[in-house]
C-alpha cells in the first residue's frame, strides 16, 4: 500500500506516550493522519482525535504484525536509553528491525526511525558532521553504539523505504525530557554535572520541529527520490540529520544554572566544536520554526515554575 494513495494515511507510532512519540502523534493528527499509538500500558496514549491506542510490546512478533496490518507508515521512537547494553541491544538492535520486517511483509510504504546524531564520531578533532560522516567506534558508549547498530540492522531490511532521522539534543518541555527536565535536575543536585567547556558545541533541535519532520516524512509530504539530497530514496535506507541553529554549551549551561540559582563550572579540556549539518533535511523541505532564543527561554521559564 502506498501512503500517498490515501487521503487519510494510517501511521503507526511506537512509544506514543514518550516525549517524541506523543509530539509526533500530535503532528500527525494535525496533518489529518489516523494514528495507531503503540504503548506498553493501557490508558497512556495521547488523548487526541484520530489516535487509537494499541497496548503491547512492538518487538513481539504477534503485536508487530497486528499493528502494522493495513498501515501506510511506521514511526519508531523507542530506544531504552539509560538501560544496560543488553536491554538496549535487545529492544533497539533486534526489536526495531523485527517491526520493520513486519511492516515490509504487510506492504507498508515507509518506516521512519528516530536515530540520533550521537552515532557520529564527535571527537575533539572532528569538524562538522553530515550524513556521510564517520560513525562512533566500539568504545563510543552503550547508547551511541546500539543506536548505530540499530541503524545498520534497518539498512539490511528490504521491501520498504526506510528513513533514519538523526537529531542531536532535543529541547522541549516534558517530564521525561532529558534536556529540559532530567539533566537540569542532575545539575541542581550535583555540582559535577555543571562542569563543562563553554566552547563545546551544543547541537540541538526543538521537539516541535523534530516531530514536524517525522510527520512529514511519514505522511509522504517529502516525495521519494533517487537522490538522497532531494528526498528519501524509494526502497532504500536514507539517514537525515535534523538540527537547529549553531550553539555552544555555554548557552545551555548558563540558561540552566541561572534559572536554578547555581554556578556553572567551566573547564578547558579538548571538546568537539563542530556542528551537525542538516542541509539534507532543509533540501527536502524542512524548515525549523523554533530559534535558539525561544527554546532557551522556554527552558528557563519551565525551570522557574
Amino acid at each position: 500500500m502506498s501512503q500517498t494513495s490515501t487521503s487519510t494515511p494510517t501511521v503507526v507510532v511506537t512509544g506514543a506516550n514518550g516525549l517524541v512519540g506523543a509530539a509526533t502523534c500530535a503532528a500527525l493528527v494535525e496533518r489529518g493522519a489516523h494514528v495507531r499509538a503503540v504503548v506498553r500500558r493501557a490508558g497512556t496514549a495521547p488523548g487526541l482525535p484520530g489516535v487509537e491506542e494499541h497496548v503491547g510490546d512492538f518487538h513481539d512478533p504477534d503485536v508487530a504484525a497486528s499493528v502494522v496490518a493495513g498501515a501506510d507508515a511506521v514511526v519508531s521512537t523507542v530506544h531504552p536509553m539509560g538501560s544496560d547494553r543488553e536491554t538496549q541491544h535487545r529492544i533497539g538492535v533486534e526489536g526495531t528491525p523485527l517491526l520493520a520486517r513486519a511492516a515490509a511483509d504487510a506492504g507498508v510504504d515507509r518506516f521512519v526511525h528516530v536515530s540520533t546524531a550521537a552515532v557520529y564520531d564527535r571527537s575533539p578533532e572532528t569538524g562538522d558532521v553530515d550524513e556521510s560522516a564517520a560513525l562512533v567506534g566500539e568504545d563510543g558508549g552503550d547508547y551511541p553504539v546500539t543506536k548505530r547498530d540499530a541503524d545498520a540492522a534497518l539498512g539490511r531490511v528490504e521491501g520498504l523505504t526506510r528513513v533514519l532521522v538523526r537529531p542531536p539534543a532535543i529541547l522541549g518541555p516534558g517530564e521525561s525530557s532529558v534536556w529540559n527536565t532530567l539533566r537540569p535536575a542532575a545539575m541542581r543536585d550535583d555540582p559535577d554535572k555543571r562542569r563543562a567547556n563553554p566552547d563545546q558545541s551544543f547541537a540541538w533541535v526543538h521537539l516541535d520541529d523534530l516531530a514536524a519532520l517525522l510527520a512529514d516524512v511519514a505522511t509522504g509530504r517529502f516525495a521519494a527520490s533517487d537522490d538522497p539530497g532531494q528526498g528519501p530514496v524509494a526502497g532504500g535506507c536514507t539517514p537525515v540529520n535534523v538540527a537547529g541553529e549553531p550553539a555552544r554549551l555555554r548557552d545551555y549551561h548558563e540558561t540552566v544554572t541561572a534559572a536554578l540559582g547555581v554556578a556553572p563550572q567551566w573547564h578547558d579540556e579538548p571538546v568537539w566544536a563542530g556542528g551537525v549539518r542538516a542541509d539534507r533535511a532543509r533540501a527536502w523541505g524542512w524548515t525549523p520554526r523554533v530559534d535558539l532564543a525561544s527554546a532557551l527561554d522556554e527552558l528557563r521559564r519551565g525551570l522557574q515554575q
Side-chain angles (χ1 to χ4, degrees):
M1 177 185 296
S2 172
Q3 64 192 32
T4 56
S5 67
T6 59
S7 58
T8 304
T10 295
V11 182
V12 178
V13 178
T14 67
N17 59 325
L19 184 76
V20 175
T24 302
C25 288
L28 286 164
V29 168
E30 289 178 357
R31 287 154 178 77
H34 173 73
V35 180
R36 294 178 185 167
V38 182
V39 296
R40 295 184 64 192
R41 298 182 306 280
T44 60
L48 298 171
V51 174
E52 172 187 324
E53 183 176 82
H54 290 255
V55 180
D57 290 320
F58 71 90
H59 46 89
D60 179 304
D62 293 334
V63 173
S66 175
V67 297
V68 301
D72 298 291
V74 174
V75 180
S76 169
T77 76
V78 177
H79 190 96
M81 182 180 183
S83 299
D84 59 79
R85 180 78 165 258
E86 180 181 354
T87 300
Q88 293 190 54
H89 184 91
R90 176 173 55 82
I91 296 177
V93 183
E94 298 175 1
T96 304
L98 181 152
L99 180 64
R101 287 191 292 271
D105 291 343
V108 172
D109 187 66
R110 290 189 179 187
F111 190 95
V112 187
H113 175 61
V114 180
S115 179
T116 174
V119 300
Y120 297 118
D121 177 10
R122 293 184 291 180
S123 303
E125 66 276 8
T126 304
D128 292 351
V129 294
D130 62 13
E131 292 82 0
S132 66
L135 304 182
V136 294
E138 292 304 314
D139 60 349
D142 292 350
Y143 178 67
V145 168
T146 52
K147 276 290 199 179
R148 178 203 67 186
D149 292 350
D151 287 0
L154 287 171
R156 295 188 289 271
V157 177
E158 298 181 351
L160 78 174
T161 300
R162 289 138 292 149
V163 180
L164 310 176
V165 179
R166 291 174 172 167
I170 302 170
L171 293 179
E175 291 184 5
S176 63
S177 173
V178 171
W179 295 93
N180 282 52
T181 303
L182 303 180
R183 190 174 293 262
M187 292 170 66
R188 178 195 61 217
D189 299 336
D190 184 351
D192 286 344
K193 301 299 184 182
R194 306 170 204 158
R195 188 172 183 273
N197 184 323
D199 294 324
Q200 181 175 341
S201 293
F202 179 66
W204 68 282
V205 67
H206 193 271
L207 176 64
D208 293 346
D209 289 327
L210 170 60
L213 181 136
L214 293 169
D216 283 343
V217 174
T219 56
R221 291 196 174 194
F222 301 145
S225 172
D226 57 3
D227 177 2
Q230 299 301 316
V233 174
C237 187
T238 309
V240 58
N241 297 337
V242 52
E245 64 190 279
R248 295 295 173 188
L249 208 52
R250 177 190 299 275
D251 301 316
Y252 176 79
H253 270 244
E254 287 186 341
T255 298
V256 172
T257 54
L260 297 176
V262 298
Q265 298 185 10
W266 304 125
H267 68 75
D268 59 0
E269 297 166 7
V271 290
W272 178 64
V276 174
R277 299 193 62 89
D279 300 344
R280 177 173 293 181
R282 288 175 170 81
W284 289 8
W286 175 77
T287 302
R289 304 296 182 186
V290 182
D291 62 19
L292 180 65
S294 299
L296 293 179
D297 184 58
E298 179 183 59
L299 169 62
R300 176 188 57 78
R301 286 185 283 107
L303 294 174
Q304 291 177 335
Q305 289 179 351

